[in-house]
Amino acid sequence: MAGKTLYDKLWDDHLVKQRDDGSALIYIDRHLLHEVTSPQAFEGLRLAGRKPWRLDANLATPDHNVPTTDRERGVEGIVDPVSRIQVETLDKNCDEFGILEFKIKDQRQGIVHVIGPEQGATLPGMSIVCGDSHTSTHGAFGCLAHGIGTSEVEHVLATQCLVQQKMKNMLVKVNGKLGPGVTGKDVVLAIIGKIGTAGGTGCAIEFGGEAIRDLSMEARMTICNMSIEAGARVGMVAVDQTTIDYVKDRPFAPKGEMRDRAIEYWKTLHSDDDAVFDKVVELEGSEIMPQVSWGTSPEMVAGVGGNVPDPETEADPIKREGIVRALKYMGLKPNMPITEIKLDRVFIGSCTNSRIEDLREAAAVVKGHKVSPLLKQAMVVPGSGLVKVQAEQEGLDKIFIEAGLEWRDPGCSMCLAMNADKLGQGEHCASTSNRNFEGRQGFGGRTHLVSPAMAAAAAINGHFVDVREMMN
Amino acid sequence: MRALKQHQGIVAPMDRSNVDTDMIIPKQFLKSIKRTGFGPNLFDELRYMDEGKPDQDCSQRPINPDFVLNQDRYKNASVLLARRNFGCGSSREHAPWALEDFGFRVIIAPSFADIFYNNCFKNGLLPIVLNEEIVGQLFRETEAEEGYHLSVDLEAKTVTTPSGEFFSFEVDDFRRHCLLNGLDDIGVTLEDAGAIRAYEESRRKTAPWLFGAGG
């Protein structure tokens, strides 16, 4: 019999019951909640007279609607009354049901996918869900982690389980070494460019290979975070010493003898050598260039030295139509060099790229330079209150401010523009977020997905440049 | 949840691939704490010429006459015909809520994004996968004939055209069972409360650090 993949092991460890109809009950160890996808779930519990199954499995924080300025005023500082009601509703629900919440004024508040790992609330081998598609982030720790809808948020609250069908196993292997200036973000954008936004549909992706093994936990989180942009709800990386070193002293991590037992288990969380995958894709790390998205889907990416594509050269009529539509929306011409795309704003933040390493990489590029006068705004939004504190201890805030970038308070911010941070119509933004959909960052806004280093280089120049040229 | 056994309805063609959930229901409408009322803002940025705001009277807004759902022949559609990877992106269940609130009961596409596909079944909405060739044929027939409708039979797992041609589709048994009977699947899961407790007990022995930490 063939060995097991990491996904097989995680599935087996969380299987409560296999049903005759092919569905299975899967146990959930950690449930993360935020204000946007939970109110209707709590309301459902109340209407049915149900209580949460296991309180200590839940952890909540407001992130999507919170302002990134004026935070000392707490909830009162949220200008939009509809946003404020949503955050207040989360507070009220957590208080009523007894769920631990890092509220808006708590220093531990932040983007839900940043605070889970930061607190050790995300531990290797856990099953983790949240009403947010970027829950795949936590797979970087060898977790079975994926996004769910609001009905399933209610289902997990009420039963601590989900009804699931087993997915297929897919391996994405990045061989060799990455070049200097090439980051986890470039790797995942290159993967999505290669396999497409539906390339991982129906699959749990494991990212492996030497280039992935060499990455920090922050970079692995960036890659797993965007699995969903490749169509896969689940993205994972096997546990190794890098994982264990990152989690072992976190506040929620086990201590003493319990920790030793946990580490022993965590070390088993990798695919067996003879495991068989349903699908395997390989990339060469040395061939990956810094990436820039030019279109309105995350698969519409090119290396920074490349050009915007010409729809005339696309054979598939549905794809050709998609390119024509995207270029029209983005206001770009076929064959124009990526480096000629002029920018209005730069956003460094989001659950994809707002951790300390991301901020260090951006700061290293802008240090000693000034933001281009062509830009209307360049902003840095740390992923959590604790990331912000650490960045300030390292003096990164001063580097950003001296270069002319705004230094904000933590939240999802301009990744999806549910708070006050948004693009104007027709504006181009170099963004370290995860989605370049039409209108995502503001009505009529035009998003270009890049790494923090590439966003920083674009901020200095007012258009895209190859960040590697600035590093020489 | 509303049950769905059979459904017959007018078909509206949404002729673009990778329709994401941001497009189905833009973020400003996610601030609602209710499950209903999203229909007027379905496809808001495609449907109207201005930027939509929550709690607005949409009947006074300038509409985009080119958008499919604004054309008289499709206004009463309840079957949405779409291209590959429909519902990609955000996990927001507001997307199926908006589709259902508008009046859709069935969506047919060559492929769906996983989370969206799953969310549909929780809301009385049936997503049907048919191959690209058949979907192409249905697009041609829909556009050629005003009032074109399809009949869907979830029991028999078939889609039938007005000419009587029918296509079979696959759907897993559990989801089909819940949708046919309009079941609340929390209730179904709680019938296994004993199995869940037994799992917890054994897991507490093998991985005690997963219980009681921090929370």
Side-chain angles (χ1 to χ4, degrees):
Chain A
M1 202 174 116
K4 287 180 175 183
T5 64
L6 171 58
Y7 173 61
D8 294 337
K9 291 182 185 181
L10 293 169
W11 176 270
D12 289 349
D13 281 352
H14 292 91
L15 184 66
V16 172
K17 187 178 176 180
Q18 180 68 53
R19 292 171 169 163
D20 297 339
D21 59 16
S23 66
L25 266 191
I26 292 295
Y27 191 81
I28 302 304
D29 297 315
R30 178 69 68 204
H31 184 204
L32 302 166
L33 297 118
H34 63 79
E35 78 278 19
V36 180
T37 55
S38 67
Q40 297 87 351
F42 282 113
E43 186 62 16
L45 280 191
R46 259 192 296 270
L47 289 173
R50 291 177 175 133
K51 294 242 173 311
W53 180 277
R54 207 189 112 198
L55 283 174
D56 68 359
N58 298 285
L59 175 62
T61 197
D63 55 6
H64 286 62
N65 280 280
V66 298
T68 54
T69 53
D70 208 13
R71 281 285 278 281
E72 58 286 353
R73 292 180 60 212
V75 177
E76 295 304 311
I78 306 177
V79 177
D80 179 352
V82 198
S83 287
R84 192 167 61 234
I85 288 170
Q86 206 163 43
V87 173
E88 285 170 344
T89 304
L90 180 69
D91 291 353
K92 197 161 64 70
N93 283 327
C94 289
D95 290 348
E96 179 187 331
F97 287 100
I99 287 171
L100 177 65
E101 182 196 6
F102 298 158
K103 292 194 165 78
I104 190 167
K105 290 180 82 169
D106 192 316
Q107 201 174 53
R108 298 169 295 176
Q109 178 274 342
I111 305 173
V112 71
H113 308 309
V114 174
I115 68 165
E118 186 173 81
Q119 291 296 322
T122 298
L123 292 173
M126 277 183 162
S127 55
I128 302 182
V129 295
C130 173
D132 192 288
S133 60
H134 290 111
T135 309
S136 56
T137 310
H138 308 264
F141 293 84
C143 294
L144 175 57
H146 60 81
I148 54 177
T150 298
S151 294
E152 289 186 321
V153 170
E154 184 181 341
H155 194 283
V156 172
L157 282 168
T159 71
Q160 212 54 48
C161 289
L162 276 181
V163 181
Q164 295 282 288
Q165 282 77 23
K166 198 170 177 195
M167 292 174 263
K168 289 202 164 83
N169 279 293
M170 179 170 179
L171 175 65
V172 175
K173 208 169 161 198
V174 187
N175 299 316
K177 302 271 180 203
L178 300 178
V182 177
T183 67
K185 183 62 163 289
D186 302 305
V187 171
V188 73
L189 287 174
I191 291 169
I192 297 163
K194 185 179 169 93
I195 69 174
T197 49
T201 301
C203 300
I205 297 181
E206 180 174 345
F207 299 97
E210 186 187 355
I212 303 289
R213 294 254 68 84
D214 286 349
L215 292 173
S216 66
M217 286 316 295
E218 284 87 347
R220 294 179 191 182
M221 282 189 256
T222 300
I223 291 175
C224 291
N225 172 276
M226 289 191 71
S227 308
I228 188 67
E229 270 65 60
R233 286 192 301 160
V234 168
M236 292 164 295
V237 175
V239 174
D240 60 9
Q241 199 54 44
T242 306
T243 326
I244 293 167
D245 290 344
Y246 184 98
V247 297
K248 67 181 169 49
D249 297 318
R250 303 272 159 184
F252 283 48
K255 314 274 185 295
E257 187 233 356
M258 191 93 93
R259 182 170 82 180
D260 299 338
R261 275 181 73 185
I263 290 175
E264 210 175 304
Y265 169 64
W266 295 343
K267 284 182 174 168
T268 67
L269 298 172
H270 53 79
S271 291
D272 295 333
D273 291 339
D274 56 345
V276 178
F277 289 85
D278 300 294
K279 215 167 166 182
V280 179
V281 174
E282 295 196 49
L283 284 84
E284 294 306 316
S286 60
E287 292 172 7
I288 299 173
M289 302 290 127
Q291 302 284 306
V292 178
S293 78
W294 50 264
T296 54
S297 167
E299 69 188 16
M300 295 174 164
V301 287
V304 64
N307 295 335
V308 170
D310 186 341
E312 295 302 320
T313 62
E314 174 58 59
D316 179 336
I318 294 175
K319 278 194 177 160
R320 186 164 60 235
E321 175 61 29
I323 295 173
V324 169
R325 207 193 297 265
L327 293 186
K328 185 171 175 227
Y329 181 84
M330 295 297 288
L332 299 176
K333 295 198 167 49
N335 301 312
M336 73 184 276
I338 294 289
T339 49
E340 284 181 15
I341 300 172
K342 292 187 175 57
L343 298 161
D344 300 288
R345 293 181 202 264
V346 169
F347 169 62
I348 298 172
S350 87
C351 60
T352 314
N353 282 125
S354 63
R355 297 177 183 84
I356 190 69
E357 180 183 276
D358 301 315
L359 304 189
R360 286 182 193 138
E361 284 173 2
V365 173
V366 300
K367 191 172 186 178
H369 296 281
K370 292 282 178 203
V371 166
S372 164
L374 299 169
L375 289 188
K376 293 175 185 159
Q377 182 184 42
M379 64 196 288
V380 184
V381 182
S384 71
L386 292 172
V387 169
K388 187 176 190 208
V389 168
Q390 189 178 352
E392 288 174 353
Q393 280 167 355
E394 295 180 16
L396 304 184
D397 58 324
K398 291 199 181 61
I399 295 173
F400 288 126
I401 292 164
E402 276 165 23
L405 290 98
E406 297 170 24
W407 178 243
R408 297 292 191 96
D409 286 312
C412 301
S413 181
M414 205 193 271
C415 173
L416 87 167
M418 276 188 81
N419 71 352
D421 309 330
K422 51 186 81 167
L423 297 183
Q425 198 157 4
E427 288 179 351
H428 287 267
C429 179
S431 178
T432 66
S433 57
N434 40 57
R435 289 189 176 133
N436 50 352
F437 298 155
E438 290 184 18
R440 170 81 177 180
Q441 293 192 288
F443 185 69
R446 295 159 169 169
T447 303
H448 300 278
L449 305 174
V450 287
S451 72
M454 282 288 288
I460 302 307
N461 292 280
H463 60 88
F464 288 113
V465 294
D466 189 336
V467 66
R468 296 172 299 181
E469 289 164 13
M470 289 181 72
M471 292 163 72
N472 290 337
Chain B
M1 183 180 79
R2 259 202 298 177
L4 188 144
K5 290 187 169 67
Q6 274 124 13
H7 179 77
Q8 181 175 311
I10 303 261
V11 183
M14 182 77 186
D15 196 1
R16 61 197 285 170
S17 52
N18 294 316
V19 169
D20 56 75
T21 54
D22 274 82
M23 196 179 285
I24 297 172
I25 183 85
K27 84 286 264 159
Q28 63 268 38
F29 306 108
L30 273 49
K31 297 179 185 186
S32 167
I33 55 172
K34 294 182 291 195
R35 261 176 194 266
T36 52
F38 296 100
N41 301 110
L42 174 70
F43 296 120
D44 199 272
E45 290 181 6
L46 301 174
R47 203 160 143 196
Y48 304 99
M49 305 299 278
D50 61 345
E51 182 180 0
K53 299 190 173 52
D55 299 325
Q56 186 181 17
D57 176 6
C58 290
S59 65
Q60 304 303 313
R61 296 173 61 192
I63 65 160
N64 172 7
D66 295 333
F67 181 60
V68 59
L69 298 182
N70 287 331
Q71 295 167 26
D72 277 341
R73 59 188 282 194
Y74 300 125
K75 273 187 178 158
N76 296 316
S78 61
V79 177
L80 186 67
L81 191 59
R83 297 288 188 188
R84 54 178 95 140
N85 201 28
F86 188 85
C88 62
S90 156
S91 63
R92 59 189 68 168
E93 199 161 315
H94 312 67
W97 293 340
L99 286 159
E100 200 264 352
D101 200 55
F102 180 91
F104 287 111
R105 300 298 319 272
V106 174
I107 310 169
I108 300 173
S111 61
F112 292 90
D114 289 341
I115 301 178
F116 175 82
Y117 182 81
N118 192 42
N119 283 341
C120 284
F121 285 95
K122 314 284 183 193
N123 294 284
L125 204 57
L126 174 63
I128 296 176
V129 178
L130 293 176
N131 74 38
E132 202 122 2
E133 205 176 311
I134 298 170
V135 169
Q137 177 190 331
L138 296 179
F139 264 99
R140 285 191 298 277
E141 291 180 7
T142 301
E143 279 153 13
E145 184 189 327
E146 195 163 335
Y148 184 84
H149 59 271
L150 288 170
S151 302
V152 173
D153 186 334
L154 180 56
E155 197 97 56
K157 298 189 275 189
T158 55
V159 175
T160 308
T161 71
S163 69
E165 190 177 5
F166 70 91
F167 308 102
S168 295
F169 61 89
E170 291 297 322
V171 52
D172 76 73
D173 290 344
F174 178 73
R175 287 179 173 127
R176 177 159 157 271
H177 175 71
C178 287
L179 190 49
L180 280 173
N181 297 292
L183 291 182
D184 159 16
D185 61 356
I186 294 178
V188 178
T189 298
L190 286 174
E191 288 172 16
D192 284 320
I196 302 170
R197 286 202 191 91
Y199 171 87
E200 284 180 325
E201 207 171 304
S202 97
R203 189 76 168 152
R204 210 182 276 273
K205 287 188 190 122
T206 55
W209 60 89
L210 294 172
F211 296 83

